[in-house]
Amino acid sequence: DVKVTQSSRYLVKRTGEKVFLECVQDMDHENMFWYRQDPGLGLRLIYFSYDVKMKEKGDIPEGYSVSREKKERFSLILESASTNQTSMYLCASSYRFYGYTFGSGTRLTVV
Amino acid sequence: GIQVEQSPPDLILQEGANSTLRCNFSDSVNNLQWFHQNPWGQLINLFYIPSGTKQNGRLSATTVATERYSLLYISSSQTTDSGVYFCAVVPSNTGNQFYFGTGTSLTVIP
């Protein structure tokens, strides 16, 4: 089975800190995604990547950046964390658009 | 962008009951998937079903692409079925990302 691993389950950071969320997949998938999930809003796409060093903006990229230096790793970066970025962050990977597999999520609180 | 609407938003069932969850989408799609998010937050892919009908144990799904809807059937529900069910689609005209509905929250009581 494909495994998508997110480095932290819970994270608490201070306003203004630079935050790194890491995601690693073990099945050689080309596509990787970062979503945030908020009550009543469902899942919203922040960024995605089709290949190493490639990235595309999703629906809500403001305040975020990403890095994909290796195929298996996709990092989400909050340049200067703010309280409105408190959320559940979900990473996913896929071969094309089949078998979309999610990590277990990182619940980030910015205080 | 494409609109994805799920109904009902909330559902409470007695164990053993059957249910039908609906997903309507506003434009043509070339991919549709159903996901279950358990109470611990883990999202599991249930079905890849851009059209037709599929069954997996007590779960089945039907997508009528021409009428822009999909249904997820849960039979003989169990407490482990509790969680949030999401429908996600990839629009035919963009084809590069999933758009999620806001989900149906299911609670199965013993």
Side-chain angles (χ1 to χ4, degrees):
Chain A
D1 279 351
V2 176
K3 199 166 188 179
V4 178
T5 303
Q6 293 184 230
S7 53
S8 304
R9 189 78 176 100
Y10 297 95
L11 212 50
V12 179
K13 295 292 182 180
R14 294 194 181 277
T15 302
E17 276 193 79
K18 190 169 186 176
V19 181
F20 293 85
L21 302 183
E22 305 287 344
C23 176
V24 177
Q25 52 97 1
D26 66 0
M27 206 62 182
D28 203 35
H29 283 174
E30 303 99 339
N31 302 330
M32 296 188 76
F33 308 83
W34 275 106
Y35 288 86
R36 64 177 281 177
Q37 183 177 17
D38 300 288
L41 297 176
L43 278 78
R44 294 178 292 167
L45 183 64
I46 306 171
Y47 269 97
F48 60 102
S49 170
Y50 287 143
D51 204 347
V52 176
K53 298 192 187 294
M54 292 182 65
K55 59 184 179 184
E56 297 280 346
K57 292 180 180 179
D59 298 317
I60 51 165
E62 297 78 19
Y64 303 95
S65 62
V66 290
S67 172
R68 194 165 181 201
E69 296 296 319
K70 294 185 177 181
K71 194 173 187 178
E72 67 272 17
R73 186 180 297 271
F74 192 35
S75 303
L76 180 69
I77 304 155
L78 287 65
E79 297 291 343
S80 177
S82 64
T83 54
N84 63 13
Q85 291 178 310
T86 291
S87 186
M88 169 73 98
Y89 290 87
L90 291 157
C91 174
S93 76
S94 74
Y95 169 68
R96 298 185 184 176
F97 288 100
Y98 312 128
Y100 221 67
T101 301
F102 280 89
S104 53
T106 295
R107 193 169 293 279
L108 173 67
T109 302
V110 182
V111 298
Chain B
I2 193 169
Q3 303 300 310
V4 184
E5 295 178 351
Q6 291 186 243
S7 59
D10 299 282
L11 189 57
I12 299 175
L13 295 176
Q14 199 79 38
E15 199 168 25
N18 302 328
S19 62
T20 301
L21 282 57
R22 187 176 180 103
C23 172
N24 292 333
F25 41 95
S26 59
D27 287 306
S28 63
V29 301
N30 57 23
N31 191 338
L32 186 147
Q33 294 190 334
W34 281 97
F35 296 87
H36 174 224
Q37 187 171 37
N38 65 25
W40 296 272
Q42 180 69 54
L43 272 155
I44 305 296
N45 187 353
L46 296 175
F47 292 104
Y48 162 70
I49 187 164
S51 63
T53 297
K54 289 187 178 180
Q55 180 152 7
N56 184 2
R58 296 181 296 103
L59 302 182
S60 63
T62 295
T63 297
V64 184
T66 53
E67 297 187 23
R68 299 183 182 169
Y69 73 89
S70 183
L71 302 174
L72 178 69
Y73 304 97
I74 304 173
S75 64
S76 304
S77 58
Q78 300 176 358
T79 55
T80 51
D81 295 331
S82 296
V84 182
Y85 290 81
F86 289 100
C87 165
V89 301
V90 177
S92 300
N93 62 351
T94 60
N96 63 0
Q97 64 166 296
F98 273 106
Y99 289 85
F100 283 77
T102 52
T104 292
S105 177
L106 173 65
T107 302
V108 180
I109 53 177

